[in-house]
Amino acid sequence: MSSAPTARPVRGTHDLFGEELRRHRHVAETGRAICERWGYQEIATPIFEHTEVFARSLGDVSDIVTKEMYTFTDRGGESITLRPENTAGVCRAVITLGLYQQLPVKLFYFGPMFRYERPQKGRLRQFHQIGIECIGAPEPLADAEVIAAGAHVLEALGVLEATTLELNSLGDLESRARYRDALVRYLEGHRARLSPESRLRLERNPLRILDSKDEADRAIVAEAPSLLDYLNAESRDFYERVKEALARLDVRWVENPRLVRGLDYYTHTAFEFTTTRLGAQGAVLAGGRYDGLVKTLGGPDVPGVGWAAGVERLALLLAAAPPAPRPLAIVPIGERAEAEAWTLARDLRREGHAVELAFEGKPSKRLKRADRLGARVALFLGEDELARGTVKLRDLDRGTEEEVARAALANRLSRLAGEERA
Ligand code: ATP
Ligand code: MG
């Protein structure tokens, strides 16, 4: 095969097909079903927004804004950005649609996100997230609810046991500012040994140094002051109430006082469900509270809390791919049967069956194709069967054959489907 640019996908993008797509869909559909059970409504916002929406909400110095956004000027001269995440877009939509008039509003989304990153296993430039946002609920119960809903999604996917919930509190703005000062004072003492990147962060976004992946940084960070020692009384109380509610909901966590989220808009609760099974791409579902965000985007001052989960990473964690649907195949024999096969296929499809019927070819060739597609049953339609108003049903797993009256076919097929489920 030639590798002409037109036959190659863009680096960090990926075609989903077959088993991989079934895993992906299973994650999305399970996530969707569980979010709905928790009373969240789906929202689908555009995949691009005015660049301002992200620049303002994520903060000028966040990694996403400084390094990862796909930003371009469109033909009308406007600066547009492919969404790197969807919390900002959902908050923008809450303002646009006036959804803040009936709070709290509980929303979830699913769709592709875009970040210019170094591609690796579980790290793509176009990837998918499913996420929830609970907007307009200031109480710690909301934090516990969104975390518990996330745990439920992981449980329904059979991957909860493969993850650890890490929990922290950044406190309110006052606590966070006090901590920031203490952290900068500490890190200044180690400036020379910090990575060049973290030395930059020291001026602009010191909290980010806490989740640096650089070895030397990590050693310094291990001795850094703990966020939890800087929470004021209110923030401490808030955090305690989140933990009490989680305990009541049987959600288990480990405290990680170094856990910070990459974005500027977080306050109070920060959390991540992480796994050791995906190398450096450990976070599968992550989020926190973002009380200032809606206001930053020009809306009313309403609080919010939510998370986003990486669909590709969850798909990699699934123990097994859901099985492919198995069609039934119709194999006509003879010219009259050819025509008849098409009405039979239509009728069976109307009854809810997935039917494979090749356009042409000898019966043996059609049967081979049916096999390749994983058909469970082949229905042979020849002159004799036509005359008798029957079909010959071959069970392709067992190799058995029987003649079934057309009128009895629906019944016979649903009995077969029942056996398969059992
Ligand atoms: P990481 O530390 O791995 O870069 P992040 O903090 O940038 O993650 P978030 O912005 O919190 O990630 O996004 C939520 C989830 O989306 C992550 O936990 C992860 O599962 C997934 N995710 C983020 N970036 C990517 C990517 N480039 N490719 C695939 N999945 C991703
Ligand atoms: Mg990232």
Side-chain angles (χ1 to χ4, degrees):
M1 274 293 290
S2 89
S3 59
T6 49
R8 249 189 289 130
V10 173
R11 188 166 139 79
T13 68
H14 187 64
D15 302 308
L16 289 165
F17 182 68
E19 180 186 313
E20 201 181 6
L21 181 59
R22 287 201 303 281
R23 285 173 177 267
H24 197 96
R25 259 178 65 172
H26 179 65
V27 171
E29 281 163 16
T30 304
R32 183 174 270 134
I34 301 297
C35 291
E36 281 180 344
R37 271 201 239 167
W38 282 75
Y40 286 67
Q41 271 186 294
E42 187 160 9
I43 184 165
T45 63
I47 64 160
F48 49 69
E49 299 274 350
H50 294 295
T51 299
E52 267 304 290
V53 171
F54 304 112
R56 267 213 224 169
S57 63
L58 305 179
D60 292 341
V61 297
S62 67
D63 285 354
I64 289 185
V65 172
T66 53
K67 294 189 295 205
E68 296 176 359
M69 293 206 308
Y70 278 95
T71 298
F72 61 96
T73 306
D74 72 9
R75 287 168 195 274
E78 293 212 68
S79 181
I80 300 294
T81 294
L82 301 185
R83 62 185 186 191
E85 56 95 53
N86 207 21
T87 300
V90 167
C91 288
R92 196 271 307 137
V94 164
I95 300 168
T96 310
L97 301 173
L99 300 181
Y100 52 79
Q101 287 167 35
Q102 286 223 320
L103 295 174
V105 49
K106 300 185 178 187
L107 303 170
F108 77 91
Y109 59 82
F110 164 75
M113 308 293 155
F114 307 86
R115 295 185 193 177
Y116 192 79
E117 302 208 64
R118 199 162 63 78
Q120 299 161 61
K121 177 179 169 192
R123 189 177 296 285
L124 292 147
R125 290 182 176 175
Q126 174 174 332
F127 62 101
H128 296 74
Q129 285 183 337
I130 180 154
I132 70 178
E133 313 293 354
C134 175
I135 294 168
E139 51 273 84
L141 262 182
D143 306 52
E145 175 178 281
V146 302
I147 294 172
H152 193 171
V153 170
L154 299 178
E155 188 185 359
L157 290 169
V159 306
L160 183 62
E161 295 304 318
T163 68
T164 304
L165 168 58
E166 299 182 32
L167 187 66
N168 193 21
S169 173
L170 308 175
D172 56 14
L173 290 177
E174 184 203 74
S175 307
R176 204 172 137 165
R178 279 210 309 146
Y179 175 70
R180 190 190 143 112
D181 290 345
L183 181 67
V184 169
R185 240 177 293 124
Y186 167 82
L187 291 172
E188 284 292 357
H190 302 272
R191 173 184 274 275
R193 283 194 297 133
L194 284 173
S195 67
E197 206 174 12
S198 285
R199 253 174 273 151
L200 273 180
R201 291 186 184 127
L202 197 49
E203 322 300 327
R204 305 166 56 167
N205 194 0
L207 261 62
R208 276 303 277 174
I209 298 174
L210 294 181
D211 74 351
S212 166
K213 281 159 187 136
D214 180 272
E215 289 284 331
D217 288 352
R218 286 173 93 86
I220 297 167
V221 160
E223 307 292 320
S226 167
L227 252 167
L228 298 175
D229 294 333
Y230 289 81
L231 298 184
N232 58 22
E234 258 173 46
S235 299
R236 247 195 330 263
D237 178 58
F238 190 97
Y239 189 34
E240 284 310 314
R241 284 162 60 196
V242 172
K243 290 194 279 191
E244 277 163 24
L246 283 176
R248 272 201 305 281
L249 292 168
D250 294 321
V251 176
R252 276 168 295 150
W253 71 90
V254 296
E255 197 154 73
N256 176 0
R258 316 248 178 266
L259 174 72
V260 290
R261 306 274 310 132
L263 312 178
D264 279 2
Y265 54 59
Y266 286 100
T267 51
H268 290 294
T269 314
F271 61 92
E272 274 185 9
F273 286 86
T274 58
T275 179
T276 54
R277 295 199 195 156
L278 298 176
Q281 279 55 252
V284 293
L285 186 156
R289 177 166 280 279
Y290 48 85
D291 286 351
L293 182 57
V294 177
K295 188 162 179 230
T296 303
L297 288 170
D301 191 5
V302 296
V305 54
W307 50 255
V311 174
E312 281 78 3
R313 291 185 194 178
L314 290 172
L316 285 168
L317 281 187
L318 290 183
R326 304 186 66 185
L328 60 87
I330 299 179
V331 182
I333 305 166
E335 217 162 283
R336 231 160 47 85
E338 290 276 351
E340 193 63 19
W342 286 91
T343 55
L344 176 60
R346 181 204 57 198
D347 293 346
L348 289 170
R349 285 167 178 150
R350 282 189 174 151
E351 281 162 27
H353 299 281
V355 178
E356 157 62 18
L357 173 55
F359 293 116
E360 55 183 24
K362 290 200 295 268
S364 62
K365 198 174 148 205
R366 284 170 147 151
L367 203 54
K368 234 189 225 149
R369 181 177 162 84
D371 230 24
R372 208 171 54 237
L373 292 170
R376 171 71 212 277
V377 163
L379 301 176
F380 293 94
L381 198 56
E383 288 295 334
D384 291 351
E385 286 82 15
L386 276 183
R388 288 196 290 268
T390 62
V391 296
K392 199 193 293 160
L393 184 156
R394 185 184 297 174
D395 183 325
L396 294 172
D397 286 356
R398 298 190 178 121
T400 53
E401 266 186 14
E402 64 198 281
E403 192 166 345
V404 183
R406 289 276 289 266
L409 188 57
N411 246 328
R412 182 68 190 96
L413 289 172
S414 54
R415 237 184 326 126
L416 255 174
E419 283 167 29
E420 201 165 327
R421 272 193 296 276

